[in-house]
Amino acid sequence: MLKVQVLSGGEAEGFIPELARLRIEVFREFPYLYAGSLKYEQRYLKKFLHLPESTLVVVQDADRVVGASTALPLAQAEAEFQEPFREAGLEPTEWYYFGESVLERDYRGRGLGAEFFKQREARARALGYANTAFCAVVRPENHPLRPPDYRPLDAFWERQGYRKRPDLLAHFSWQDLDEAQESPKPMAFWVKGLEGDKR
C-alpha cells in the first residue's frame, strides 16, 4: 500500500536523509547524470524545506520513501531560475516553481508522476498562485551517456497541460558523472496557467 503525503515547511524535517538518498539515486540517471553528495543534498534540503510556502509530496511504501516531489515560490528559488523570467518581463512573484520529481525505478508507470503535478498545483492554488513552471535539463541527441532506450518526458508533460518555453532558458551548474568539476547546464522551462485569481 503506497501512501502519499503533502507536507510544507518544517513538517518535512524527518524526511531529509531519505530524500537526499533518493535524489542522488535518481539524478545519477540520464539526463541529469548528477555526481552529488549526501552532505550537499541534506544542506540543500534543510534550506528549502524550512521555507513556509514550500511543498513536499512524499510517496512511501510502508515506512520507506520511494518517491518525492518539491515546489516553492519562484521568488524564493535560486537566482539562476528567476533570471529568465525577469529578462522576459515576467514577475517571479507571480509564479510557483516546481522542483524535482524523483521516483525509484520500480514505482514508475503507476500514475505517481501525474499525482505529483496534481498535488503541487493544488498547493499553488491554495497559496494564491495562478502560474506554475518547472525546468528540465537540455541534452544533445547524441550525448555519449544517453541510453538507447531513453524516452524524453515531453509528451507526459504536455498531457499535464504544460507547454515548453524555449525563450525561458536557465543555466545551472553541477558536476556530471563524467566530469572532473562543475559546469553550467541549460535548463528549459515549461509553464502552465492555473484557474483562479492572479497573485
Side-chain angles (χ1 to χ4, degrees), residues 81-106:
F81 298 129
Q82 297 183 45
E83 184 178 352
F85 286 76
R86 296 188 192 281
E87 290 179 350
L90 301 172
E91 177 51 58
T93 57
E94 297 180 356
W95 294 80
Y96 200 59
Y97 172 68
F98 292 174
E100 70 280 341
S101 290
V102 288
L103 272 172
E104 290 187 2
R105 188 176 295 274
D106 290 345

Side-chain angles (χ1 to χ4, degrees), residues 27 54 66 69 88 105 131 145 175:
F27 281 142
S54 67
V66 298
S69 190
R105 188 176 295 274
N131 303 291
L145 296 182
Q175 182 180 344

Side-chain angles (χ1 to χ4, degrees), residues 45-174:
L45 286 165
K46 283 183 179 180
K47 177 182 176 182
F48 158 76
L49 293 174
H50 284 138
L51 297 172
E53 291 191 343
S54 67
T55 301
L56 172 66
V57 186
V58 177
V59 180
Q60 289 177 280
D61 188 347
D63 293 329
R64 190 166 65 87
V65 175
V66 298
S69 190
T70 64
L72 75 161
L74 179 60
Q76 295 178 354
E78 288 88 345
E80 291 93 333
F81 298 129
Q82 297 183 45
E83 184 178 352
F85 286 76
R86 296 188 192 281
E87 290 179 350
L90 301 172
E91 177 51 58
T93 57
E94 297 180 356
W95 294 80
Y96 200 59
Y97 172 68
F98 292 174
E100 70 280 341
S101 290
V102 288
L103 272 172
E104 290 187 2
R105 188 176 295 274
D106 290 345
Y107 294 86
R108 298 171 193 173
R110 303 190 190 188
L112 292 168
E115 184 69 14
F116 284 153
F117 277 101
K118 175 184 173 182
Q119 295 295 343
R120 290 180 297 178
E121 288 173 7
R123 172 76 167 154
R125 290 188 182 96
L127 291 170
Y129 289 91
N131 303 291
T132 56
F134 68 90
C135 60
V137 66
V138 178
R139 298 289 194 180
E141 290 283 335
N142 62 347
H143 193 285
L145 296 182
R146 179 187 175 107
D149 60 348
Y150 173 71
R151 290 193 305 169
L153 293 173
D154 296 35
F156 167 72
W157 293 330
E158 289 170 355
R159 289 197 299 274
Q160 310 313 308
Y162 286 80
R163 62 187 178 90
K164 192 174 184 178
R165 285 282 302 264
D167 58 314
L168 298 177
L169 192 68
H171 288 85
F172 199 71
S173 294
W174 67 83

